[in-house]
Amino acid sequence: MNAIGIDLGGTWIKGVLMDIETGEIVKQLYHPTNGEKDWKLAVAETVADLKALSSGPVKATGLSAPGLPNETNQYIAFMPGRLSGLEGFHWGHYLNDSVHIVNDAHAALLAESRFGVARKQRNVVMLTLGTGVGGGVLIDGRLYQGNFQKAGSLGHIAVDSERDRDITGMPGSLEDAIGNATVEKRSLGRFTSTYQLLEAYKQGDYFAQWVWLSSVRKLAVGVSSLINCFSPDLVVLGGGITQAEDDLLLPLAEFMNLYEWRPGGQTTPIKIAQFGDMAGAIGAASFAIQSEPGFL
């Protein structure tokens, strides 16, 4: 039996056909989002193409998207400013099928917990470091979504309360401290992307080192705070900024030595996510599997 997962992004719609038992990706497809006019049709075409490629019945369909799903995970209830028409759009009615909707960062966590680096872990915190900072929390093996589905908005915790407010009104948020969207502001206009910042960092540019290490220090403060809140088995870092690899992990480890509470010398492991740009689609399929009656 197979499941379908769709990740609705601003540039690409990504889809996977996944074997429910093994987690094997039978097929994956990319489809341009085509702006705000044709993305609904593009999703429908991707689902239809994956169903046609399935050698057996498709038992569950999931879709990951930015924003907060409604309480029954049937549509995105809150997502201002992106993909006009997404809010309140009922995918099950449109596709004439049962479709389970999940936040895109939550989907990435589900992909890692079911098939990736967090497999067999019961309690996991994940941060997705990209344009912004998303996140998700796994408690006792289940995704925790909380009231209004806001749980896991980990990029909007404060790490410097004297700084400017972010898009949610939080002063000095983790998202603004390390997200790619604020690099130009953080670097006083010298760099426009994390990639540019890191290239200068590697060349020994002292200003770039100050900007980058300041951001990583605040990430360590945020991660340490989340460890204190949830006491997870594992912290997973995903998103494009993790491509920095040792330029991120080595200074992060040093700052964690300063800030992490380690009773009895016990530390919480931090790992880089296994899945790349298909994590949202894989996680959407995983969410659909666990949401369908009789699967788990």
Side-chain angles (χ1 to χ4, degrees), residues 10-262:
T11 305
W12 291 97
I13 292 163
K14 289 154 279 189
V16 296
L17 181 67
M18 187 173 71
D19 185 286
I20 289 173
E21 300 298 329
T22 66
E24 177 188 358
I25 304 304
V26 180
K27 189 69 177 180
Q28 62 185 42
L29 297 176
Y30 290 81
H31 197 299
T33 304
N34 294 328
E36 297 185 351
K37 182 178 180 181
D38 299 324
W39 52 264
K40 297 173 186 176
L41 179 59
V43 168
E45 290 175 347
T46 303
V47 171
D49 290 345
L50 289 169
K51 285 184 175 180
L53 292 167
S54 179
S55 59
V58 173
K59 292 295 185 179
T61 300
L63 184 142
S64 74
L68 304 179
N70 74 316
E71 62 182 10
T72 55
N73 292 90
Q74 294 177 310
Y75 55 84
I76 294 295
F78 301 102
M79 185 60 247
R82 289 177 63 189
L83 293 172
S84 177
L86 177 62
E87 288 186 343
F89 185 76
H90 198 296
W91 288 98
H93 294 166
Y94 181 68
L95 297 174
N96 194 31
D97 200 355
S98 175
V99 182
H100 304 279
I101 311 302
V102 63
N103 169 268
D104 48 5
H106 287 181
L109 170 60
L110 289 172
E112 295 299 330
S113 66
R114 190 171 178 86
F115 305 111
V117 296
R119 189 175 184 181
K120 297 183 179 180
Q121 302 296 326
R122 299 288 296 170
N123 300 292
V124 180
V125 168
M126 182 171 184
L127 290 169
T128 54
L129 312 176
T131 303
V133 175
V137 180
L138 197 76
I139 298 176
D140 289 333
R142 302 287 293 187
L143 174 68
Y144 179 66
Q145 297 185 100
N147 196 25
F148 300 114
Q149 310 281 48
K150 288 198 304 180
S153 300
L154 306 181
H156 303 297
I157 63 171
V159 292
D160 186 352
S161 64
E162 298 302 314
R163 307 293 289 184
D164 294 340
R165 299 195 304 164
D166 72 4
I167 59 172
T168 70
M170 181 63 69
S173 70
L174 178 59
E175 176 168 283
D176 280 2
I178 199 166
N180 192 56
T182 61
V183 169
E184 189 168 2
K185 181 179 180 180
R186 283 184 278 128
S187 66
L188 307 179
R190 280 193 57 184
F191 306 105
T192 59
S193 70
T194 301
Y195 177 81
Q196 289 181 351
L197 172 63
L198 282 167
E199 286 301 299
Y201 171 84
K202 293 174 184 177
Q203 295 300 317
D205 183 300
Y206 292 130
F207 178 75
Q209 290 177 347
W210 174 71
V211 173
W212 176 243
L213 293 176
S214 295
S215 295
V216 177
R217 185 186 70 83
K218 291 176 182 178
L219 174 62
V221 170
V223 170
S224 298
S225 298
L226 294 170
I227 289 171
N228 288 344
C229 289
F230 297 105
S231 191
D233 305 313
L234 174 69
V235 173
V236 179
L237 301 179
I241 290 176
T242 61
Q243 293 176 13
E245 297 180 335
D246 282 351
D247 290 325
L248 170 65
L249 293 178
L250 293 180
L252 178 60
E254 290 296 324
F255 288 124
M256 292 300 293
N257 288 336
L258 292 176
Y259 301 129
E260 184 186 1
W261 180 31
R262 296 169 173 173

